[in-house]
Amino acid sequence: MEQIKNLITALQQCIPELETAPLYANLPVNIEQYSVLEWLYEHLAEQNLMVYEEWTEYSGYIPELKPLDNVFLSEEPADFIFTLIEKIDWSTASIDPYELPYIMPWFEHINFYLKPHGVRLVDLTPFENAYILCLRDDKESLEKLLSSLATFGIGINERHVMDQQQVSDNIESMISE
């Protein structure tokens, strides 16, 4: 269980407002990937530090996570992406419109607005749907968390920042491939 304790330490460094006592009090039954994922989700969701979203139902809104409670954004990041989606000529697009929820750079664009606040949205991999966290935007602590999670076959989709031009270029590239 030393691996779990290392993970808790890494989580504490990365997740604002994390209370570690509940994690230590109720360790996972084993260190298999899905046991660790269930344990993480149970304890982090209880603290409003992780949410689960099915990609088919996610449309770019900012998740209700405790570290974002006091963050005010000057605009809704998803609105810009929706204006780009509305302009797509589907008769010439190389992707199926049903693929959009899976490939849109929602978090990357939200992270552009979150960067001045020192946090970013990420999701855990390699799972079909999104387990979303808000982490401190600190490379060193993120690397420690990545290393700790890798022990259990879990990764992080880091979701690097994309401004409006980068989002526009990304979407244009996706639909014209």
Side-chain angles (χ1 to χ4, degrees):
M1 285 296 167
E2 189 65 30
Q3 297 160 322
I4 294 293
K5 291 177 182 177
N6 290 340
L7 175 56
I8 294 170
T9 300
L11 289 167
Q12 186 176 28
Q13 292 173 356
C14 280
I15 301 177
E17 303 183 44
L18 173 65
E19 304 228 358
T20 59
L23 289 122
Y24 283 113
N26 188 10
L27 297 174
V29 293
N30 60 54
I31 59 170
E32 298 299 317
Q33 182 187 60
Y34 280 97
S35 293
V36 172
L37 177 64
E38 288 174 9
W39 169 76
L40 280 172
Y41 181 69
E42 175 186 341
H43 292 288
L44 297 180
E46 281 178 2
Q47 295 184 48
N48 201 25
L49 298 171
M50 180 187 280
V51 294
Y52 171 82
E53 294 288 341
E54 292 192 23
W55 285 121
T56 56
E57 296 176 8
Y58 183 74
S59 58
Y61 51 85
I62 298 170
E64 292 184 23
L65 295 167
K66 190 176 183 179
L68 299 176
D69 284 349
N70 296 318
V71 172
F72 173 76
L73 302 182
S74 58
E75 56 189 282
E76 183 62 44
D79 289 348
F80 176 73
I81 293 176
F82 283 123
T83 63
L84 296 174
I85 292 170
E86 291 170 1
K87 295 176 185 174
I88 294 174
D89 177 359
W90 291 107
S91 67
T92 63
S94 63
I95 62 168
D96 187 314
Y98 294 107
E99 293 178 49
L100 286 180
Y102 301 99
I103 60 174
M104 282 293 108
W106 301 115
F107 295 161
E108 292 83 349
H109 194 51
I110 293 169
N111 286 342
F112 172 76
Y113 293 94
L114 293 178
K115 185 137 183 86
H117 300 279
V119 294
R120 75 162 76 167
L121 294 178
V122 301
D123 56 300
L124 299 179
T125 63
F127 309 106
E128 180 179 344
N129 288 304
Y131 291 88
I132 305 168
L133 300 160
C134 180
L135 305 179
R136 287 183 180 89
D137 194 14
D138 175 73
K139 185 176 180 163
E140 185 178 317
S141 61
L142 183 60
E143 286 175 4
K144 289 178 185 174
L145 181 58
L146 283 165
S147 176
S148 295
L149 286 168
T151 304
F152 311 104
I154 299 173
I156 292 177
N157 190 342
E158 296 183 48
R159 305 294 182 159
H160 296 285
V161 169
M162 282 190 187
D163 63 21
Q164 288 185 347
Q165 185 61 52
Q166 291 166 317
V167 167
S168 182
D169 292 346
N170 178 268
I171 291 173
E172 180 63 34
S173 171
M174 285 188 295
I175 62 171
S176 64
E177 289 181 340

